[in-house]
Amino acid sequence: MNTIRAIVGLAVVFAAGVIPACGSDNESQTPASGGTGGAADASTDGSSGTAGSGGGTGGVAGKGGSAGQAGKGGSSGAGGTAGAAGDAGTAGSSGASGNGGAAGQGGEAGTSGAGGTAGDGGSAGTAGTGGSAGTAGNAGTAGNGGTAGSAGTAGTAGAAGSGGQGICGTPTGYFPPGAWMYQDISAAPLRPDSATMTQWLQNNGGWGTGQMRIDFSIEVLQKTASTTYQSFTPTSDFYDPDCDKVDMPVPAGGALEGETGYACVNDGDCHLIVVDCDLHRLFEMWRANITGGTFYGGCLAAWDMTRVYGQAGRGEQCTSADAAGFPIAPLLFSADEVNAGEIKHAIRFILPNARMRASAYAHPGTHAGGPSGPASAPVYGGRWRLKASFDMSKLPNDAARTVARAMQKYGMALADGGNIALTAQSDRFTTAK
């Protein structure tokens, strides 16, 4: 547990003390005030270095223990762009009509018979009658036209490319290179209370299940040329002004988190995440449910993928499809990334609400869900990292080491309340499995 540490961030923001500035991408955002200086990274477990300059008090202490095993595969290759829809098949040309048969020619006339030889004293014989003409042949029947070919079936939705290896042609991931989840924090200063929070978490149950496990249930879908945008009926899980009431693309053949289709049968978080590379938008909805011909939706965040969101994200006190106000897809590592041996972004992680500090969050988080822990507990939105001194040889395979290296360089971001610590993208639509 003491191998994980919380790095310094901006000031911890208390939910009761900040005026909301939540809403669309064009709204102004209220910055949090700066915090106190952080301590330098300790070289031994539990000990603190000398005080560093600047920084804030936000960020939460991480818990120790070795990194969990990666679920599947090794690191990613270059991020895939989504498969385009299949073109319709060309209609078959109709067959040419057959030519009619030539008419039969008439028979030749019969030769006239020679007159009979005159008898003695008799009259001359009558001449023979000419032959009748032959009957004309019937015209041939015209050939039938060929049957038109069937149209080809449209292609199914392609999977979104992995966040760390570029998507929609970007060099880094879902957002420009300056976005916070792509920054190297391996040398960032620790929070002054990092060791205190780490120890508190270790003494109070640690990770949600007592182990660092990985959840592979969240799908990331890609809009194709055949994908239609659909309007939805907001439910009680849609919050105004935090959530965006806009139409959302729903690719054919896709699925919600933890489901086989678009119906929220198991009553879970049922996240629906779709990337639109044409509009450069990332659509993330919490508690989606398409059933009986009606699209019901909870909180939807339509992220602008051309924008570098600041420390205040979409606005102070603003939630998203994740309780901390983060985007989800950019923080998910995939089987393709693990297969390629490198994850180039921070990783989403969660803790039980009782193990997070009540009524507070730290940037880059902008919202706290329902935490109920004491002042020494970790804080919603905090950035954590694995210590550089962690012995990678303790991990069972290269896949686990790939995840651990990302935790050292880019860290983890405390995004939501729950029990399974790390979150990866489902491999249903990835190349690697």
Side-chain angles (χ1 to χ4, degrees), residues 116-125:
T117 305
D120 292 338
S123 52

Side-chain angles (χ1 to χ4, degrees), residues 8-105:
V8 74
L10 295 183
V12 174
V13 180
F14 289 89
V18 179
I19 298 173
C22 188
S24 70
D25 287 336
N26 296 321
E27 285 193 298
S28 61
Q29 299 167 356
T30 302
S33 58
T36 59
D41 199 353
S43 58
T44 58
D45 291 347
S47 61
S48 172
T50 57
S53 60
T57 59
V60 268
K63 317 180 26 168
S66 58
Q69 298 182 14
K72 302 204 178 192
S75 43
S76 59
T81 43
D87 295 322
T90 306
S93 304
S94 58
S97 296
N99 294 321
Q105 297 180 354

Side-chain angles (χ1 to χ4, degrees), residues 37 125 145 174 201 303 340 351-352 359 361:
Y174 292 87
L201 189 57
W303 297 89
L351 288 172
S359 303
Y361 64 87

Side-chain angles (χ1 to χ4, degrees), residues 335-385:
D336 289 333
E337 289 176 288
V338 173
N339 186 57
E342 188 174 20
I343 298 168
K344 296 183 177 180
H345 55 82
I347 295 174
R348 179 184 189 260
F349 89 107
I350 63 179
L351 288 172
N353 280 318
R355 299 175 200 173
M356 289 185 283
R357 188 180 306 182
S359 303
Y361 64 87
H363 289 157
T366 58
H367 182 266
S372 57
S376 51
V379 183
Y380 247 105
R383 300 287 300 279
W384 296 38
R385 68 164 177 240

Side-chain angles (χ1 to χ4, degrees), residues 84-86 154-157 223-229 250-252:
T156 57
K223 173 194 169 291
T224 69
S226 62
T227 301
T228 59
Y229 271 72
V250 181

Side-chain angles (χ1 to χ4, degrees), residues 39-208:
D41 199 353
S43 58
T44 58
D45 291 347
S47 61
S48 172
T50 57
S53 60
T57 59
V60 268
K63 317 180 26 168
S66 58
Q69 298 182 14
K72 302 204 178 192
S75 43
S76 59
T81 43
D87 295 322
T90 306
S93 304
S94 58
S97 296
N99 294 321
Q105 297 180 354
E108 295 181 355
T111 304
S112 232
T117 305
D120 292 338
S123 52
T126 306
T129 305
S132 301
T135 304
N138 294 323
T141 305
N144 294 322
T147 305
S150 302
T153 304
T156 57
S162 58
Q165 301 299 314
I167 187 168
C168 300
T170 62
T172 49
Y174 292 87
F175 297 109
W180 63 263
M181 66 281 298
Y182 307 130
Q183 306 311 306
D184 182 349
I185 62 168
S186 59
L190 292 178
R191 286 176 50 90
D193 57 352
S194 178
T196 299
M197 286 191 286
T198 302
Q199 191 62 52
W200 183 92
L201 189 57
Q202 182 169 352
N203 293 343
N204 289 274
W207 312 117

